[in-house]
Amino acid sequence: MSNQSKRRKVEAEPEGEVVDGGVIKLTETVDNRAGLRPGLIKNKQKRREFHKQQLSQKKRDQRAGRIKRKKEREQAAVAGTKVEAPVTRTIENTREFDETVVDPEDEEVAADQETDELASYFDGTPPKLLVTTSNRPTAETFKFGETLVDILPNATFFTRKGAELKKVIEGAVARGFTDIIVINEDKKKPTALVVCHLPHGPTAHFKLSSIRYPKEIINHGRKTSHHPEILLNNFHTRLGQQVGRMINALFPQSPEFVGRSVVTFHNQRDFIFFRYHRYIFKNAKKVGLQELGPRFTLKLRWLQQGTFDTKFGEYEWIHKRGEMDDSRRRFFL
């Protein structure tokens, strides 16, 4: 064996103490995470044993940490002080810095919102929605359209019958509709939503997924005709707040609390989850929830100024998969 081969073999062997049976026992000076990796060990049996020891050591460290924190809490309780709980690292709280994240109480943002296209609908103007589909829709798309009409107050379903979308928009504007929602499908399933605010825009295109109808939800309730409360979660950036206002403008801004119903749009990692619940107060501290359905998930693909125009429209934001998905900790809403 050449000197170079011997050198490679020595570099591949892990640092530690060799015990009976050729099993490597890790020493305290070995940094398992940074330096040594099981993949560097060529012997399969030794590699397997080394990996098991790594897992065991990790569990022992975690157990020791839990015991230490428990003792600190007990000592703090005796001393009458408070120990801050450790913050769990998640993708959300370690997201990349985004300069477009704004404070909800920002005066500049509030001034912009008072003069945007949606300002009049937060002053009491009731929305009037038109729900339609792509050309030649299947039964599944009709079913989802009927479900949208059921959950959106003051919504009307329109059968398109081959009409061009621009002409449908012109007719909706002439009849006083404030928004139009188009359900697109692929492979006989609804896969996208186009939400166009009338008469001057903006227009948003969402990917649609994970649809579950009320009958598919265990112990679901039956909705009433009361206007629900609207809850928007985690829309932190300027783009997120604009999308949240578009969604919020689809519902009347006069919730009827007698109905005890709430619609939630929860943004998590740029996926917008829709849920519909009815709540009941059990006592002064506890509240019960009953899901009414449906469930579905939206993901923004592009946002356009003005009404729907794919050829000459000006896009404010487009999701470019190859360029914008290179980091798991980068979010845009």
Side-chain angles (χ1 to χ4, degrees):
M1 182 181 295
S2 63
N3 293 334
Q4 187 176 3
S5 301
K6 291 181 180 179
R7 191 180 303 110
R8 290 178 179 175
K9 184 176 181 181
V10 170
E11 291 175 355
E13 293 295 333
E15 299 179 6
E17 179 184 354
V18 180
V19 297
D20 295 339
V23 179
I24 300 172
K25 182 178 180 181
L26 300 180
T27 60
E28 296 181 355
T29 59
V30 176
D31 188 355
N32 300 330
R33 296 172 295 178
L36 188 60
R37 298 189 303 272
L40 298 176
I41 304 174
K42 295 182 179 180
N43 186 286
K44 183 177 180 180
Q45 182 178 359
K46 290 184 179 181
R47 183 169 65 247
R48 184 180 298 172
E49 293 294 335
F50 178 65
H51 181 61
K52 288 183 178 178
Q53 290 183 16
Q54 279 187 319
L55 295 179
S56 299
Q57 183 65 37
K58 182 178 179 180
K59 291 181 179 179
R60 286 194 293 269
D61 293 342
Q62 291 176 344
R63 190 183 305 112
R66 288 195 297 269
I67 294 174
K68 180 181 178 181
R69 292 191 294 270
K70 183 178 179 181
K71 289 183 179 179
E72 290 177 352
R73 290 196 297 269
E74 292 176 351
Q75 294 175 359
V78 174
T81 59
K82 185 178 180 180
V83 178
E84 295 185 0
V87 179
T88 304
R89 286 176 56 87
T90 63
I91 293 181
E92 285 80 6
N93 61 24
T94 57
R95 64 180 296 175
E96 294 182 2
F97 173 75
D98 189 351
E99 59 183 6
T100 64
V101 174
V102 295
D103 186 357
E105 305 298 331
D106 193 309
E107 296 181 357
E108 181 180 354
V109 176
D112 291 341
Q113 292 178 352
E114 290 178 356
T115 57
D116 64 5
E117 302 91 341
L118 306 171
S120 61
Y121 298 95
F122 292 92
D123 294 336
T125 302
K128 185 179 179 182
L129 312 180
L130 182 67
V131 179
T132 186
T133 63
S134 57
N135 286 324
R136 291 176 293 184
T138 57
E140 192 69 20
T141 303
F142 272 116
K143 181 180 179 181
F144 183 73
E146 293 173 355
T147 304
L148 277 185
V149 172
D150 187 45
I151 63 177
L152 294 171
N154 202 17
T156 304
F157 186 82
F158 172 73
T159 305
R160 193 160 161 186
K161 295 181 181 179
E164 294 183 4
L165 184 56
K166 289 186 178 181
K167 293 185 178 180
V168 175
I169 293 176
E170 293 175 359
V173 173
R175 290 168 175 79
F177 286 96
T178 61
D179 294 271
I180 181 171
I181 301 176
V182 183
I183 308 170
N184 293 327
E185 69 173 34
D186 185 27
K187 297 180 181 179
K188 299 182 179 181
K189 292 184 179 180
T191 57
L193 284 183
V194 176
V195 181
C196 179
H197 182 69
L198 304 177
H200 305 297
T203 303
H205 182 275
F206 298 93
K207 176 186 175 183
L208 176 65
S209 61
S210 305
I211 301 174
R212 292 192 64 184
Y213 296 101
K215 291 184 179 179
E216 301 173 357
I217 300 174
I218 300 176
N219 296 328
H220 71 91
R222 182 178 299 177
K223 70 174 293 296
T224 61
S225 59
H226 299 90
H227 294 171
E229 304 171 51
I230 310 302
L231 183 62
L232 301 175
N233 289 334
N234 298 335
F235 292 89
H236 298 307
T237 64
R238 292 297 295 266
L239 176 64
Q241 290 196 355
Q242 186 174 2
V243 172
R245 282 174 62 82
M246 280 192 66
I247 294 174
N248 198 358
L250 299 177
F251 294 84
Q253 303 304 307
S254 55
E256 298 174 348
F257 299 101
V258 178
R260 293 180 287 104
S261 57
V262 57
V263 168
T264 304
F265 290 92
H266 176 74
N267 173 43
Q268 185 172 357
R269 305 178 189 178
D270 287 347
F271 289 91
I272 304 174
F273 299 92
F274 173 87
R275 297 293 185 270
Y276 199 164
H277 292 91
R278 178 183 293 116
Y279 60 88
I280 181 172
F281 294 101
K282 296 182 178 180
N283 51 45
K285 296 183 178 180
K286 292 185 178 181
V287 62
L289 289 177
Q290 182 185 29
E291 188 168 1
L292 307 180
R295 301 177 186 173
F296 56 85
T297 305
L298 302 174
K299 186 173 178 64
L300 183 66
R301 289 304 185 195
W302 50 258
L303 182 66
Q304 185 185 78
Q305 293 183 359
T307 56
F308 182 81
D309 190 349
T310 55
K311 290 185 178 181
F312 306 105
E314 182 179 353
Y315 290 90
E316 296 187 27
W317 185 84
I318 301 177
H319 179 251
K320 300 178 181 179
R321 299 185 184 181
E323 302 177 9
M324 306 172 94
D325 293 340
D326 56 347
S327 174
R328 296 180 61 198
R329 290 178 169 82
R330 182 185 303 167
F331 308 121
F332 302 99
L333 299 183

